[in-house]
Amino acid sequence: MYSEKVMDHFQNPRNVGEIENASGVGTVGNAKCGDIMRIYLDIDDNGVIQDCKFKTFGCGAAVATSSMATELVKGKTVQEALLVTNKAVMEALDGLPPVKVHCSLLAEEGIHAALWDYAEKNGISIIPMLNTPGHMDALFSAMSELNVGSSRTTSKMRLTDDAQVNFVKALQQKYIDYFAKQGSKYYNLAADEYSFSALSDSEYTAFATYVNAIAKMVKGAGMTPMCYNDGINYSGKTTSVAFDTDILVCYWAQKENYASVAELSEAGFTIV
């Protein structure tokens, strides 16, 4: 059963049509159901979406989600529009039947595709980042709901827990594949603030192994890996695995035991 809002947006869709000389246009489709969605954005010089229109070929749910998605992003900045998810679209429509959830995903992808087109037209480079193995509050919440790995009391993953590592690697791969497809040239795996001083040498080796594994995935997708300087060649720690020098090091802080710019450069890293 469809909600009243879904029926309303299907029978009386908002923002149908095209925008001439649009700031960004995104076209996406679902091969399984045949739905095709095209989103048009009019973005002003301040990065605010002044207008958004769509043309959709598909079922009632595809039309309704297109309509609602355009309503949600109008008046938002580009940054705010990037945060509009399929979940937000579904919630605004008071839900969708399980078999129609893919329509909300298509709406999210259509908005993102139009924003990518806008970025490309304006020479804006987007460097995605999924920060692991620290700063993982949101990911841990999802992992707990899915009963993945052992119990956790911090926002850092245990690099000795195979279930956690495999889960996060799989998630990283999805992000890497998505942004590579969008044309990103760089991918920031971050890897900062992981309580390095408290790690044993074996744990630090596990950290280096993990960072190298994600970097390999990034390079395999045709992008250049980046990370912050915190944990690279951390003074006082020994690892049997050398860090991949293909990783661009974003030098953001100099603290005790952090390798200096000169030390990292001498080790073969490029500093940005």
Side-chain angles (χ1 to χ4, degrees):
M1 293 291 292
Y2 289 117
S3 69
E4 290 184 7
K5 284 187 178 180
V6 171
M7 294 304 298
D8 178 35
H9 277 266
F10 167 55
Q11 295 172 338
N12 305 287
R14 284 66 154 173
N15 310 310
V16 177
E18 301 179 11
I19 296 177
E20 188 175 354
N21 299 318
S23 306
V25 181
T27 303
V28 294
N30 186 305
K32 291 184 179 180
C33 65
D35 293 336
I36 300 174
M37 187 180 299
R38 179 167 293 171
I39 302 290
Y40 301 83
L41 299 176
D42 177 22
I43 302 172
D44 67 19
D45 292 339
N46 295 316
V48 177
I49 299 172
Q50 295 296 327
D51 197 9
C52 181
K53 294 188 181 298
F54 79 93
K55 296 182 74 175
T56 291
F57 175 83
C59 64
V63 173
T65 53
S66 303
S67 173
M68 180 56 79
T70 58
E71 286 286 275
L72 290 176
V73 300
K74 279 204 299 185
K76 285 184 166 56
T77 65
V78 169
Q79 292 81 3
E80 291 169 338
L82 281 168
L83 298 178
V84 173
T85 64
N86 75 298
K87 182 179 179 181
V89 173
M90 288 195 296
E91 288 177 349
L93 288 170
D94 291 338
L96 287 170
V99 295
K100 294 297 182 180
V101 169
H102 68 274
C103 293
S104 65
L105 288 167
L106 203 61
E108 176 187 327
E109 291 170 1
I111 295 295
H112 286 178
L115 289 169
W116 276 100
D117 183 52
Y118 163 76
E120 187 174 285
K121 288 177 178 176
N122 288 273
I124 301 171
S125 297
I126 298 176
I127 301 177
M129 180 181 77
L130 180 56
N131 197 344
T132 62
H135 295 300
M136 295 180 56
D137 304 75
L139 289 181
F140 275 177
S141 176
M143 290 168 74
S144 294
E145 290 180 11
L146 295 171
N147 295 317
V148 174
S150 55
S151 61
R152 293 163 290 278
T153 57
T154 73
S155 62
K156 300 176 177 64
M157 66 184 284
R158 284 197 194 92
L159 292 171
T160 54
D161 186 323
D162 289 341
Q164 289 187 32
V165 172
N166 291 335
F167 178 90
V168 174
K169 280 185 177 179
L171 188 60
Q172 284 276 18
Q173 188 68 67
K174 287 184 178 296
Y175 272 72
I176 290 166
D177 291 344
Y178 174 80
F179 285 104
K181 183 179 178 181
Q182 299 302 323
S184 288
K185 299 295 187 293
Y186 300 91
Y187 187 93
N188 191 348
L189 50 103
D192 64 325
E193 299 184 333
Y194 188 61
S195 301
F196 299 107
S197 63
L199 299 181
S200 65
D201 285 346
S202 62
E203 290 171 329
Y204 187 59
T205 296
F207 171 77
T209 301
Y210 173 79
V211 168
N212 287 349
I214 304 302
K216 182 178 180 180
M217 291 159 57
V218 172
K219 292 191 292 183
M223 296 186 289
T224 299
M226 306 171 67
C227 77
Y228 295 116
N229 64 290
D230 308 27
I232 306 298
N233 292 355
Y234 191 87
S235 177
K237 300 297 175 184
T238 301
T239 171
S240 59
V241 176
F243 288 95
D244 185 351
T245 54
D246 286 339
I247 301 171
L248 298 183
V249 177
C250 305
Y251 208 95
W252 76 281
Q254 173 62 63
K255 296 182 180 180
E256 185 179 2
N257 294 326
Y258 287 12
S260 68
V261 171
E263 289 170 333
L264 291 172
S265 181
E266 289 172 3
F269 292 97
T270 299
I271 313 299
V272 295

